Amino acid sequence: MSESNKMAGGMTGINRAILIAAFVLLAAAIGYAIWRDSAGDSASAAPEAVAAPSDQLAALEARTRKEPNSPDAWMQLGAARFDLGDFGGAATAYEKAVALSPDSAGLWSALGEARVMASDSDPMPAKALEAFDKAIALSPKDPRARYFLAVKKDVGGDHKGAIADWFALLEDTPQGAPWEADLRRTIEQVGAIHKIEVAARLAGTRPRPLTADEIPVAARAIPGPSRSDMEAASQLPKGQQDVMIQGMVDGLETKLKANPADVDRWIMLMRSRMTLGESAKAAQALKDGIAANPGAAARLKAQAQLLGVPGA
């Protein structure tokens, strides 16, 4: 019996909780997602100038028909479908992307994540594992693939092995990485569930120092929806919340149109898009930022990887 068949039907509440944590692991959006999802119909109050998700999706689908050999087009469609909860559709688009760009670890790990989330019964499908293995072969440090391969150990019963792998990922996690808090929370939860002591080790674990390219622009005073901004927005009437957040992002884009050479603002736009759960738009911001600043491509890509932008 294959490993995936052994795990079939094993989507327990514990496993689902771990996979949901993985769903937001690289999005840096858990705070926004909580209050956005509780905001009822507030999304209808967003500015009319903002395209509806269905319109944005239609535009991306049209692009793949126009540019069927563009891995970037398929990647952005996959990210958009993932953002909308269409995990099977996301996987299909990512499959097209990796066929055209098979050397991208980020695309392979994004495909693996989509395949996991598309599965209703098997917590770690064989095809998802195949994608994560390809990502690791290309980039042994890929954080998403490492996280999910540890999830495989956990759902397979090797809880200590999973925790050890998550600790190893935590040790390699750069200071300020958006997934650090969620990774720590996962370690705490799995440790508590299986009565494995992790508190002392967590207390003694510190994120590694940043490289020059990884210095977090998100921490600087550049306008954009930070967690404190989102907390403030949550105190507003529900109909005003999305308007406030969208206004911040629109302000960033306006400044970039006036000064596309401002690399920090491109990074902040990527961060803002990821915070809003708009990973396809974050990927477009990366592409546009590099086009406007080819000399800063390495820095933009490093920051995009830090933020979990698909395809970075």
Side-chain angles (χ1 to χ4, degrees), residues 24 27-38 182 185 226-227 230-231 234 275:
V24 298
I30 190 168
Y32 176 80
I34 290 171
W35 71 258
R36 181 187 61 185
D37 291 346
S38 66
D182 295 311
R185 190 177 301 114
S226 65
R227 284 181 185 262
M230 290 184 283
E231 289 170 1
S234 69
T275 301

Side-chain angles (χ1 to χ4, degrees), residues 85-119:
D86 178 11
F87 304 121
T92 298
Y94 282 133
E95 285 164 3
K96 296 280 191 180
V98 297
L100 293 164
S101 183
D103 295 330
S104 171
L107 283 178
W108 280 110
S109 66
L111 171 59
E113 182 181 27
R115 285 173 170 172
V116 167
M117 298 307 297
S119 175

Side-chain angles (χ1 to χ4, degrees), residues 193-205:
I193 290 167
H194 300 292
K195 296 180 171 42
I196 299 170
E197 176 56 41
V198 298
R201 189 172 175 186
L202 275 173
T205 301

Side-chain angles (χ1 to χ4, degrees), residues 36-92:
R36 181 187 61 185
D37 291 346
S38 66
D41 294 329
S42 65
S44 63
E48 291 183 1
V50 179
S54 59
D55 294 337
Q56 297 169 6
L57 189 64
L60 291 170
E61 289 173 339
R63 184 185 170 198
T64 61
R65 290 191 293 272
K66 183 180 179 181
E67 305 174 37
N69 295 319
S70 168
D72 178 71
W74 287 108
M75 179 274 293
Q76 292 197 42
L77 178 59
R81 286 176 172 172
F82 192 97
D83 291 345
L84 293 172
D86 178 11
F87 304 121
T92 298

